[in-house]
Amino acid sequence: MKPVLTFPKADHYAFFYEEAHLMLVSWQRDDKKELYRIAGQQGETLQLDYPGELYTERVMELISRIFFITVQEETQEKAYALGAFFSLRDQGYAVYYEREKTSHSQLVFFRVAEEADGYGLQVVEDEAEQNLVVNEIEQRYGSFLHIH
């Protein structure tokens, strides 16, 4: 017997960490977060696998402060969740999607920088770097995110 588990009182966020497809399960009541690897999918059912304690600690150390962000745009604040983290030329980048939109969400990205108390985000202002990052996002995740 293979049990099917549901967590109705938890929020679920799928994202990529480099090439690994992961799921963050977050219980707001206890501020507890767990990380699973998405091992497969059959219809609406995902097969999750525990990636191990060392891997989980390493990923959570990096993403814990940058997973959820709020960005002040021209007329409003928008809440974003991490969609992908990847390294390019020894530099980390984080790609975000709007938390409230279910389709055609605007993607935004930032450079990830190590800070005294963890990791933070920096705006990518250089146009050449922006183009490099956009091309990398399209190459790595374009077919999954339906980017063209």
Side-chain angles (χ1 to χ4, degrees), residues 33-107:
K33 294 172 178 39
E34 294 183 356
L35 190 66
Y36 298 95
R37 183 179 65 83
I38 298 174
Q41 181 175 354
Q42 291 181 347
E44 295 292 315
T45 303
L46 295 177
Q47 179 183 353
L48 302 179
D49 183 35
Y50 180 63
E53 188 174 349
L54 184 61
Y55 182 84
T56 298
E57 287 176 5
R58 191 178 102 217
V59 172
M60 292 300 287
E61 179 183 330
L62 189 138
I63 68 167
S64 63
R65 287 191 56 220
I66 64 169
F67 198 89
F68 300 111
I69 63 170
T70 302
V71 175
Q72 179 64 45
E73 297 189 355
E74 294 174 6
T75 59
Q76 63 183 342
E77 282 189 346
K78 290 188 179 179
Y80 289 90
L82 185 69
F85 170 87
F86 63 92
S87 299
L88 177 63
R89 297 184 178 172
D90 295 325
Q91 176 61 59
Y93 293 93
V95 181
Y96 292 88
Y97 62 91
E98 292 180 62
R99 289 177 67 180
E100 300 304 317
K101 286 199 171 182
T102 55
S103 64
H104 303 293
S105 178
Q106 176 184 353
L107 297 178

Side-chain angles (χ1 to χ4, degrees), residues 22-39:
L22 304 174
M23 174 75 67
L24 181 75
V25 180
S26 175
W27 282 268
Q28 292 178 351
R29 180 184 67 195
D30 297 327
D31 193 33
K32 179 165 177 61
K33 294 172 178 39
E34 294 183 356
L35 190 66
Y36 298 95
R37 183 179 65 83
I38 298 174

Side-chain angles (χ1 to χ4, degrees), residues 104-123:
H104 303 293
S105 178
Q106 176 184 353
L107 297 178
V108 296
F109 63 86
F110 296 91
R111 184 182 313 112
V112 178
E114 192 167 354
E115 298 177 347
D117 57 346
Y119 291 90
L121 302 173
Q122 299 173 343
V123 174

